[in-house]
Every structure is written in structure tokens, then in C-alpha cells.
Amino acid sequence: MSKPNMSRLHNAIDLLGKLVAFDTTSKNSNLGLIHFVRDYLAQYGIESTLFHDETGQKANLLATIGPKGVPGIALSGHTDVVPALETTWISPAFELTERDGKLFGRGSADMKGFSACALAMIPELVKRDLAIPFHLCLSYDEEVGCIGVGSMVDHLAAMDTPPRLAVIGEPTDMKVINGQKGKYSMRVGVTGTAGHSSFAPNHVNAIEYASRAINLIAQQARDFEENGPFDDDFTVPHSTMLTTTIGGGTATNVTPDYCEFTFEIRHLPDHDAEKVIADLQATIMETLDAEMKAKADDTGFSFEKIFSYPGMGDCSDAAGFAYVRNIIPEISGKVSYGSEGGVFEKQGNIPSIICGPGSIKQAHKPNEFIEISQIEECLDFLEALTDQAIAA
């Protein structure tokens, strides 16, 4: 790692402190942070475009630095964070605190650290004679299913010269991740009939039918594990499927008339999750639902999609990958957790990688932190990427 630019490093840490101070837990508005970034960019003559959600209380921000009419690089970060309700926080969760070369605070690693580094580069970017543009992309509601970024990605894809590469700044210890699983999450309602449990054979037990459906999900998961498809570059080399929550019943002496559970599939990028879900749903309706209705017409299963996001494939053959190949030549593998990379790739047709400061091991935990050395490495990476943009 090169000798750090102390002024730039200080600026990045100062900006990270300001970003962390905004409580952008997904249930909250992110407009305070978004307006702060908009005003910061305006100081350097950079205009921002905001894409609001239906409530008007959340927004994506898109800002372009550099020439128009040529394909460039998107630098993407989400603004929302997971809750910080744990009682084991040593310092305030939304106040950046430095201890032992680490910066503590909710979102410091996941993933305001990357956004702070990108913003710290702005004073230099506006001075450079860039041959290609950088598109700063800040999104909302990534933590609840990557549901916010789509409007901004659609805008980028519709440009005459969309980005050639998107760098998703999730925490990877500044290693290039070149693949990510997608996710499909479902909610299932099971309606039976209630009555005194001593007459159980006369009723339709919602929990029992739910358990039989859950067993089908477990069988499908075992089939993935045994028969694939497989990709050994992933930390878990096959798609996974499991039930994640369940609730039902009213009392120990009442046959339960309702049960609800959720399940998910985390799938390899080229594995058709929609078909898996559709086939499972058809099996449940043709067998379990039909059996229930034979006993009582107003019973059965209902299905609701909670959210989904696509997987991100290998883009090492894409032209835009050359920008990072010369900086970090080694690809570190593929991950099973989610990011907005799949949305950029599948919805926007923008090749994407994941590369950002901090460790995913610190994400979603009390006393989340990012090492200052990781901030330095990210700034070095962005400087090298800027050099590539000048030489393009």
C-alpha cells in the first residue's frame, strides 16, 4: 500500500463520521443523509438527481463527475443500515468512535465507509482531466431486499452511454468479489378449521399442513445439496432453501386454524429461482391444498412474494473489468450474501463487481467497526481507478 494522503484520509474519516451520525435504519427516512451529500457535491459544482420512493421519505442519489457521452464507472453504496438495538454497544451506535486504529459505529463497514471514501475523492476528481465519468450512486432499502435501487439502475441503463462497470462497495476487505447469489423470499399462509382439540379428526390442522409443506422445502434443499447445480467458487457451492420463521395456533387445547411461515431460496446466478418456487407451489396446491379443501372448502394455502433480487455473475470477460484487473489482478471468489450487484447486472445490463473496505464479519453486529487501514486501502484503490479513468 502506498503512503497515505493524510489530508484525504482525514477527509474520509470526517465524512464517515457525518454519514454514521444519520440514523438511516431501513425503517427511517434517509433524506437527511441524501440532502447532506447533495449539498456537499454542490460545493464542487456537481449536480445530483434524486429518485424518491412512493412516500417521498426516501431517495436514491445519482451524481456524475466527468465527461458526458462516454461510458464510465458507477460507484455504488447503500445508505440504509440494520437496527442497532443491542445493549452491548460500548459507544453510541450512531456516533463514530475511534479506538485502537478502528472506527466504530453502525454502518461504518456496511457500508458507509465506501461512500465516505468516494466522497473524499470528489475534490480530486473535479480537478482531474477525466476521459470517462464516475457515477456516484447512493441507494435506499438495500438491507430489506435491494428494493430501492431499481429506479436509479433503470435510469442508468436508459442513458445513451450507460456505465461500463459498477463497483458495489460492500465490505470485502478490498478484495474483488466476482459473483453473488440471488434471493427469493416468500410468505405462506395456511388456513384450517378450529375446534376443541379432543375432536381433532373433525378439523383441518393448519400447523400440521404447514409442517408438511415445510418438509417439502427441506426435501428440495437436500436435492440442491446432493444434485446441484454447483459452482465451487461460492462459499456454499449450491443453492440453498430453508424455512426462516413460523407462527400459529392459539391454545394447547384448540386445533389451530391458521399458521404462517416464511422461506427463502438463495440461488446461484443462473439457477431459475422463479421456476423452483412455481414448481413447489404447484406441488403444494395439487396435493396438500387439495386434501385440505376435500375436508373444508374455505381452507388451504396462500402465497405472497416478500421480495427478490437477482444473483450477480462473473464479469471478468467484460470490457469494463479491465479497469480493475490492472489494479487488483486477483479475483477472490463468490459470496452467498446479497448485494445490489445483481440488480445492476440483470436489470441494468451493467457488469458489476463487489469491492469495498471493511469486513463482512463486522456487518449486522453490535460494535460494528472498520479499520482505518481499510479506509486507506479503499482510497488507494479509488485513486488507481481514477488514474485508469484518465488513461482510458
Side-chain angles (χ1 to χ4, degrees):
M1 183 175 65
S2 63
K3 184 178 180 180
N5 180 319
M6 297 308 296
S7 175
R8 187 174 59 196
L9 176 61
H10 181 272
N11 191 25
I13 294 174
D14 181 66
L15 284 163
L16 179 56
K18 289 180 169 63
L19 298 181
V20 166
F22 292 100
D23 181 356
T24 50
T25 305
S26 300
K27 66 182 179 65
N28 298 334
S29 171
N30 74 335
L31 291 185
L33 184 153
I34 289 294
H35 291 165
F36 165 77
V37 173
R38 179 194 61 189
D39 295 344
Y40 171 83
L41 295 172
Q43 297 177 39
Y44 298 95
I46 301 169
E47 295 183 1
S48 300
T49 301
L50 305 188
F51 303 85
H52 290 86
D53 71 347
E54 293 180 356
T55 70
Q57 296 303 304
K58 297 182 180 182
N60 301 315
L61 179 146
L62 172 63
T64 299
I65 306 96
K68 298 181 180 179
V70 291
I73 302 170
L75 302 177
S76 173
H78 64 78
T79 63
D80 62 318
V81 297
V82 298
L85 303 176
E86 303 92 345
T87 60
T88 52
W89 281 86
I90 297 174
S91 53
F94 295 101
E95 179 181 314
L96 195 68
T97 304
E98 182 179 347
R99 295 194 303 273
D100 301 323
K102 301 171 183 177
L103 301 169
F104 291 81
R106 175 59 84 221
S108 56
D110 186 16
M111 57 174 292
K112 292 178 178 179
F114 178 80
S115 299
C117 289
L119 292 173
M121 290 295 298
I122 295 297
E124 298 181 39
L125 289 176
V126 295
K127 296 177 183 178
R128 300 287 190 100
D129 184 19
L130 299 175
I132 63 171
F134 285 94
H135 305 283
L136 179 64
C137 306
L138 300 183
S139 67
Y140 65 89
D141 281 357
E142 188 273 349
E143 294 289 5
V144 291
C146 301
I147 62 177
V149 74
S151 59
M152 182 164 52
V153 169
D154 286 342
H155 179 86
L156 289 168
M159 294 169 58
D160 291 337
T161 52
R164 187 169 287 171
L165 179 74
V167 178
I168 315 300
E170 293 280 0
T172 67
D173 293 306
M174 289 309 302
K175 298 174 182 177
V176 170
I177 300 298
N178 211 39
Q180 159 225 306
K181 287 183 179 178
K183 180 177 177 178
Y184 205 112
S185 181
M186 292 286 291
R187 180 179 292 110
V188 183
V190 188
T191 301
T193 59
H196 198 286
S197 59
S198 63
F199 292 97
N202 298 331
H203 310 143
V204 179
N205 188 323
I207 289 180
E208 288 189 3
Y209 277 96
S211 69
R212 290 169 64 181
I214 290 169
N215 188 52
L216 292 175
I217 293 168
Q219 289 178 16
Q220 180 66 79
R222 289 192 292 271
D223 182 71
F224 292 155
E225 188 172 357
E226 294 172 2
N227 301 312
F230 297 104
D231 185 336
D232 290 334
D233 288 338
F234 278 93
T235 49
V236 178
H238 52 80
S239 298
T240 59
M241 201 170 185
L242 74 157
T243 302
T244 50
T245 68
I246 187 169
T250 57
T252 59
N253 60 352
V254 177
T255 303
D257 64 349
Y258 188 74
C259 183
E260 183 175 286
F261 65 91
T262 61
F263 73 95
E264 68 169 37
I265 174 174
R266 289 183 183 262
H267 58 93
L268 300 181
D270 294 328
H271 194 180
D272 190 345
E274 289 194 9
K275 184 178 186 305
V276 172
I277 297 291
D279 289 348
L280 174 68
Q281 185 172 338
T283 298
I284 290 173
M285 295 301 289
E286 291 168 4
T287 57
L288 303 181
D289 187 88
E291 185 178 318
M292 295 174 76
K293 284 183 169 54
K295 297 179 179 180
D297 290 337
D298 56 351
T299 62
F301 283 77
S302 64
F303 298 86
E304 176 191 359
K305 177 182 175 181
I306 302 173
F307 67 83
S308 69
Y309 55 78
M312 184 189 82
D314 185 343
C315 74
S316 57
D317 292 333
F321 190 77
Y323 294 133
V324 296
R325 179 180 286 113
N326 297 330
I327 303 170
I328 305 177
E330 182 179 352
I331 299 173
S332 296
K334 303 173 183 180
V335 293
S336 297
Y337 61 79
S339 83
E340 294 169 337
V343 181
F344 275 85
E345 179 193 295
K346 298 295 195 302
Q347 184 172 324
N349 198 31
I350 300 169
S352 303
I353 62 167
I354 307 171
C355 183
S359 170
I360 194 65
K361 295 179 181 178
Q362 300 305 323
H364 301 191
K365 295 172 61 176
N367 302 304
E368 176 183 350
F369 69 83
I370 187 170
E371 295 181 356
I372 293 176
S373 60
Q374 283 286 298
I375 298 289
E376 294 174 4
E377 285 192 40
C378 185
L379 291 170
D380 286 347
F381 170 77
L382 292 174
E383 182 177 28
L385 201 58
T386 302
D387 292 339
Q388 294 288 317
I390 293 172

